[in-house]
Amino acid sequence: MPEQSAVILEQLLEREPGNVKALALLIRSVSMFDAPKAHEVAQRLPDIDIPSDINLEELEIGLGVTSGRGLRKVIKPEQEKINEANRRFETKEKKRKKKKAKLPAVLVPGG
């Protein structure tokens, strides 16, 4: 199946060489059966220009990691500013509801 999709994606890229999504899908499908070829295909990806004023570590930490139904966790950053910005991702515990006391089945009034 990945071989067939790789052939179709290669044909698509011959018609549209600038299609980055198709190139990414091709890399993914080729990597399932031929890792060295996938690495060669990955070299065809265009370079990304990242502005110098963007801190990638802050972006990665800002995303946070959620797991479980009631808990949210975040990787603790080294800088205090990042920690303050991510207060909403800190671990929260669920509140437990108090159960009502069960009365005996046979209740004798006044006794």
Side-chain angles (χ1 to χ4, degrees), residues 13-103:
L13 284 170
E14 287 175 6
R15 284 188 247 145
E16 300 176 24
N19 192 340
V20 180
K21 288 184 180 180
L23 185 59
L25 288 172
L26 176 64
I27 293 168
R28 184 175 180 185
S29 63
V30 170
S31 68
M32 292 182 186
F33 62 91
D34 190 4
K37 185 177 178 185
H39 185 69
E40 291 174 13
V41 174
Q43 298 298 324
R44 294 177 12 198
L45 282 170
D47 292 333
I48 299 174
D49 295 329
I50 301 174
S52 61
D53 62 335
I54 294 178
N55 188 351
L56 295 179
E57 291 179 12
E58 287 182 18
L59 288 175
E60 290 175 354
I61 292 171
L63 293 176
V65 179
T66 57
S67 64
R69 199 171 202 180
L71 297 176
R72 289 185 175 231
K73 299 177 184 176
V74 81
I75 300 169
K76 300 236 176 175
E78 295 176 8
Q79 302 170 358
E80 187 62 30
K81 290 180 182 178
I82 298 171
N83 194 14
E84 289 177 12
N86 292 324
R87 291 260 184 230
R88 63 185 174 129
F89 291 111
E90 289 180 354
T91 303
K92 296 180 182 178
E93 294 184 19
K94 281 188 169 182
K95 294 182 181 178
R96 292 188 173 205
K97 295 181 181 178
K98 293 183 179 179
K99 293 184 179 181
K100 294 183 180 179
K102 292 184 180 180
L103 295 175

